[in-house]
Amino acid sequence: MLRTSHEADGRATKPGVLSGARIADEVVRRVRSRVVDGSDAHIEQLLYETIYREQLRLADNDSDPRVEVDRAFIRTLRHDLAHARSPQLQQLVHSVLTHYTEEISGHFDPRVYKLATTVIPPALGALLHGGRPSLRMFDVRERVLLEGEVSALQWAARAGTVVLVPSHVSNLDSLLLGYAIFALGLPPFAYGAGLNLFSNAIIGYFMRNLGAFTVDRKKQDPLYLDTVKEYATVLLEHGQHMLFFPGGTRSRSGAIESHLKLGFLGAAVSAFGNRRARDAESKPIFFVPCTLTYPLVLEGASLIDEFLRREGGPHFVDVRDEFERPERWYDFLRQLAELDLQVHVRFGTPLDIVGNKVDVRASGISRDRRGRPVDPVRYLYRDGAVVHDPDRDAQYTRLLADEIAQGFRGESVALPSSVLAYAVFRRLRARYPTLDVLRLLRVLGPHASITLSELRPELDILLAKVSQLSAASAIHLSPELQGAGVQDVLESGAKTLSSYHREPVVVLEGDLLRIHDPNLLLYYRNRLAGYGLCAEQDDPAEELRASRRFRP
Amino acid sequence: MTTESTAVGSSARVLQNEIEVAVIGAGNWGTTLAHLIASNGHRPRLFTRDPDKCATINREHQNPRSLPGVQLHPGVVAVTDFADTVRSAHLVLLVLPSRGLRETCRELGAFLRPDQPVVHAIKGLEIDTHARMSQIIQDETCARQLGVIAGPNIAVEVAAGKPAGTVIATPFPAIAALVRSLLSCQQFRVFDGHDMHGVELCSALKNVVAIAAGMVDELKLGDNAKAFLVTRGMSELMRLAFALGAEPATVAGLAGVGDLMVTCASPHSRNHRVGVALAQGMGLDEAVESIGQVAEGVYASLAARALAQANRIEMPLFTQINRVLHERLPVLEALEGLLQLETGRDVPGVLRRRG
C-alpha cells in the first residue's frame, strides 16, 4: 500500500490511500494505450523484439528460480504470438506489461517504514557491534556527515516532489542515503534498485518494504524500458519522492560520473509536464544532486579491477597475486571508526526540469544563470498552454543531465587521501613519460616507491590548485584539508590509504612512500580527475583507450 | 503597452501567417532574413539601434548601407524598441557579429520568457571562452529552445532572389518546422539538421580555411593548390569538430562543405577578402579595415588554436594561418612551412572524441 498525497491528481478529493495495485494498473493502462495506438505489424514487432531480447538474456544463467519463471513466460508468449490475431495481440501486450509491472512494483508499507526508521538505527548499531567490542565505537551519526543544501532539500520535500539524484560510488550508498533521508526527517523516498540487491534476503526485505522498486538492468526490450520509466512517472505524478542513481551503476574507475543515463530523468520531466497539464496549481518537481565521498571505498579494489579489465581489454595484465576480495563491510565500518574517518553526503542546490537553480529563499522560483526569475512551467508552453512534446522534453532532459553532472563535480569533497593519490600517481607518470597507464601499472608492480623529497613539491602545487578550485566553488575541501600543509596531507592521506584494503595502497616508511597497490592508487586518484588539475590528459577512460591504441 | 505573445506558433498560427519574429540585427543577412519572412507573409520586426536606418527602411523599404539597390518586402517593419520587440515575438532571430552577442543577450534575458525559441545565424566562436553562440545564449538568458541557421548564403545573392539552400539545425523538431515555414520558398531551400553543436562549429571554423583560400588565390598558386589546401583544412576542421562533440557527417552538409565552398570561392566573402589582403602584404589591421566589415575567421582562428591545444589535436594549417594573422608570419613563409611537413594519412582512420 502506497500512501500518497493527493494534490497531484488536482481533484478535490479527500486525501486517500493509493494502493500499489492502482499504481500498477495506471502504468499498464498508459503503456498499453501507447502501444496499441500502433498498427498490428508494429505491435507484433514489439512483441517479437521482447521475445528476442529476453531469450538472449535468459540463455545466460540458469539457476535462479526467477529465471525459470521468465523462461516459462516467454515460451508461452512465443507460442501464443504465433497464433495471435488482432484482438489477441492487445491481450498479449497486456500480459507482458502486467508481468513486468508485477516484478517492478515494490511493496512499500508505511507501517514498515515507521517501524524500520524507529527500530533500525539502534538495531543497526547492535547488529554492527554483534558482540564484537571493536565496533562499539561505531556511531553512524559521527561517521556520516550530512552537508550542503540540507535545508533546501527539506524545503523542497515540503513544497514539491523531490527527485534525489546521487553519484554512485558503493553498494553502501543506498543504506547511507536511507539513513540520511531518515535523519533529515524527510518522508520516505521510492527508489529503483538493481534486481541483484533483492536476491539478498535481509536487504531485499527491507528494500522492498522501504519503497524500493525493482529495476532489472539486463532487460533491454522496449516494452520493459517503457514500463519501468512509466512506473517512475506515475509515482512522481502522485507526489511520491524518488531517488535514483543517474550514473546507472557504481563508478568503476573511481571518477565522478560525467555521462548520465537519461531514462529516469526523462520520466521525471514527463511527470512534471503531465501534472501541470492536468492542474496548473500542482506542486513542482525538484531535482536535487547529491554526492557521497568516502575516504575508503568498501569495494574499491574490485571496482577498479573491473574497470581495468573492461577498458584495458587484452592490454591489461594483472601482476598482483591472485586473492579473493570479498566486500568486507564489517572491517570497513570498523576502520572508519578506528581511523576517525567520515563519509561526506553533500546535497546540492535543487534544480528545475531544464537545470535552472531553484531559489528556496524566494519560495522556489527558478533563476537563470544571471539570477533573473524564471517560471519553469513555461518551458512546456505552446500558445499559452502546456503541450506534450516528447522531442522537446528529451532535449530538456539532456540539459538537466549536464547540470546534474556539473553539480556532482561542484559538490564533491576533496580529501587528503585523494589529493595524495593524485600527486603520487602524477609523479609516477612523470617518471615513465613514454609508458601508457596500463604499462605503467605493470611496471610499478607491488614494490614501487617514491621519495618524499620528490613528492612534496608536487603535493604543494596540487594543494594550491585544489584550494583555488574550492575558492571558485568548483569543489569542497574536507575539514582536514582546510589550511592543511604538505606534511599534514602526507600523513593523513597515507594513514587512510594504508588501512582497510587487503594490501595497503601506500605505506609511509621514513623518507619513502611505498606503493603496494598501484591499481587502487589509480582508483583513489581518479576521484580528482577531470578538474583540470594538471596539464596532461587525466580522464580515466581516455587514458585506457590510449593504452589500447599502443602498438609496439 | 505590450502584448505578450504565446511563443512557438502552432500550425494554426503558421497557416494564418501570424508568426511575429524579432530579427535582432539589421545588417545584410538580418535584413535579408526579414525580407524572406515577410515574403512568406509573416511579420518580421527588424530591430536596429539606429533611428535613421529604421526610418529609411520603413519609408523607402530599402537598407542602402547593407543591401544597396535591394527593394525590401513592405512587410519588413524596422523597430527601435528592444523590449517591446522581444516581448511580442513568437521567435527571436539573432543576426549579429559574434562579438556583440553576449552583451545583447544579457539585455535580451531581461525580457525573454522560457517558451520563446531563440534561433541565431551567427558564424563565430567567442574569443575568450571559445563558447559556441548557443552556449552564450544559454549563459545569458533563460532560453533553452535553440537553433542555428547556417549554409552557403551570401546575403546579396539571396536578397536578389537567386537560388540557395540553408540548414536549420536544432534538437527541437518543432523549431525546425517553424523556421522552415518562415523562410522556405522556391528560391530558398531550408533543410533540417539536428546537430546544432556541429553546425555551429563548422560554420565558425570554416572561416579560417576561407582566409587561407584567399591567400592562395591572390598568390596565384593554382587550382590544385587551392583544392589541396582547402581539403586539408577541412580534414583538420573535422577532427577538431568531432573531438568537441560534432557528428562527422555534419561536415559534409550545407553548413560544412557547402559554406566552405562559397566562402573559399566568392569575392563577396569577407574572410576570403582578408586572405587576399594579407597576401598582398597588408597587416591584419589594415586588411580588416580595407574590408570595412567583420571577418569572423580572424577571431575564430584564436578559438580554434586554444581548442586544438586543449584537445591535443594537430592542426598545422590552422596553426599557420593563426601565425599569419596574429604573429605577423609572412604569408608565403606560412604556406611554404606547410609544404615542408611530413605527409601522413589523408583522412583520419579513427576519429577521437574526448571523454
Side-chain angles (χ1 to χ4, degrees), chain B residues 9 44 47 54 76 81 95 99 103 114 133 145 190 259 281 296 327:
Chain B
F47 173 78
C54 178
V76 175
D81 188 325
V95 201
R99 279 190 303 169
E103 205 180 320
M133 299 297 109
Q145 298 195 40
V190 181
D259 206 359
E296 292 281 3
E327 293 168 21

Side-chain angles (χ1 to χ4, degrees), chain A residues 259 356 369-370 372 374-375 378-379 381-384 391-392 395-396 399 535-537 539 542 545 549, chain B residues 4 6-8 10 13 106 109-110 113-115 138-140 142 144-145 171-173 312 352 355:
Chain A
H259 298 290
N356 288 316
R369 291 178 196 168
R370 294 279 155 219
R372 290 174 297 228
V374 177
D375 179 4
R378 275 189 171 267
Y379 284 107
Y381 274 17
R382 189 176 306 162
D383 287 341
D391 296 316
R392 174 200 65 200
Q395 181 59 19
Y396 286 164
L399 296 173
E536 310 90 68
Q537 166 72 266
D539 176 73
E542 179 54 42
R545 276 196 288 276
R549 277 198 297 273
Chain B
E4 199 186 78
T6 48
V8 189
S10 65
R13 245 176 228 291
R106 207 164 288 181
R113 296 181 312 277
D115 48 334
Q138 288 190 60
D139 275 349
E140 302 295 338
C142 66
R144 292 297 179 269
Q145 298 195 40
F172 298 93
R312 294 171 188 77
R352 195 157 54 82

Side-chain angles (χ1 to χ4, degrees), chain A residues 253-426:
Chain A
S253 66
I256 300 158
E257 301 100 318
S258 53
H259 298 290
L260 305 185
K261 304 252 180 195
L262 303 175
F264 279 125
L265 283 180
V269 171
S270 308
F272 178 67
N274 292 348
R275 253 160 92 153
R276 285 299 170 101
R278 274 202 306 272
D279 174 13
E281 300 304 309
S282 63
K283 285 187 177 182
I285 291 181
F286 300 117
F287 298 83
V288 180
C290 161
T291 59
L292 294 102
T293 308
Y294 296 83
L296 292 164
V297 175
L298 173 69
E299 67 273 44
S302 53
L303 288 171
I304 190 69
D305 192 64
E306 214 179 301
F307 176 69
L308 292 171
R309 276 174 209 287
R310 192 182 64 196
E311 300 289 329
H315 295 256
F316 172 62
V317 180
D318 195 351
V319 293
R320 299 167 307 167
D321 295 337
E322 283 291 320
F323 52 78
E324 280 281 296
R325 277 181 238 96
E327 294 170 12
R328 302 173 301 149
W329 59 275
Y330 170 81
D331 287 348
F332 177 81
L333 295 174
R334 187 169 57 87
Q335 292 282 352
L336 283 189
E338 280 183 0
L339 292 171
D340 194 24
L341 294 173
Q342 276 129 355
V343 182
H344 299 262
V345 180
R346 275 199 81 87
F347 299 96
T349 308
L351 307 172
D352 71 15
I353 54 159
V354 299
N356 288 316
K357 288 191 162 71
V358 172
D359 187 348
V360 300
R361 276 158 310 215
S363 59
I365 54 161
S366 298
R367 293 199 181 274
D368 69 11
R369 291 178 196 168
R370 294 279 155 219
R372 290 174 297 228
V374 177
D375 179 4
V377 75
R378 275 189 171 267
Y379 284 107
L380 306 172
Y381 274 17
R382 189 176 306 162
D383 287 341
V386 173
V387 167
H388 183 63
D389 179 348
D391 296 316
R392 174 200 65 200
D393 293 353
Q395 181 59 19
Y396 286 164
T397 307
R398 282 184 205 106
L399 296 173
L400 173 61
D402 288 347
E403 294 297 328
I404 291 172
Q406 197 141 0
F408 283 172
R409 214 161 273 291
E411 293 301 328
S412 198
V413 180
L415 303 170
S417 51
S418 49
V419 170
L420 178 65
Y422 196 96
V424 172
F425 199 80
R426 179 145 196 257

Side-chain angles (χ1 to χ4, degrees), chain A residues 207-227:
Chain A
M207 299 269 274
R208 270 193 191 285
N209 291 295
L210 295 181
F213 60 93
T214 316
V215 180
D216 186 353
R217 283 199 294 264
K218 292 205 179 89
K219 288 201 181 71
Q220 286 297 323
D221 63 277
L223 284 178
Y224 180 77
L225 296 176
D226 204 7
T227 307

Side-chain angles (χ1 to χ4, degrees), chain A residues 300-302 304-305 308 318-321 323 325 421 424-425 428 441 444-448 497 501-507 514-524:
Chain A
S302 53
I304 190 69
D305 192 64
L308 292 171
D318 195 351
V319 293
R320 299 167 307 167
D321 295 337
F323 52 78
R325 277 181 238 96
V424 172
F425 199 80
L428 294 173
L441 293 176
L444 292 175
H447 305 297
L497 290 178
H501 290 290
R502 183 68 59 102
E503 286 289 324
V505 184
V506 298
V507 175
R514 290 197 185 280
I515 295 103
H516 291 286
D517 191 335
N519 295 7
L520 269 171
L521 182 73
L522 174 67
Y523 176 80
Y524 286 109

Side-chain angles (χ1 to χ4, degrees), chain A residues 36 45 111 146 375 448 459 478 515 533:
Chain A
V36 301
Q45 183 56 44
R111 285 163 306 179
L146 308 178
D375 179 4
L459 263 177
S478 75
I515 295 103
L533 287 171

Side-chain angles (χ1 to χ4, degrees), chain A residues 456-483:
Chain A
R456 281 198 179 98
E458 182 76 42
L459 263 177
D460 199 33
I461 296 171
L462 190 60
L463 265 179
K465 285 189 175 166
V466 172
S467 302
Q468 273 170 18
L469 281 180
S470 152
S473 305
I475 201 168
H476 287 274
L477 300 185
S478 75
E480 302 94 311
L481 270 188
Q482 285 163 18

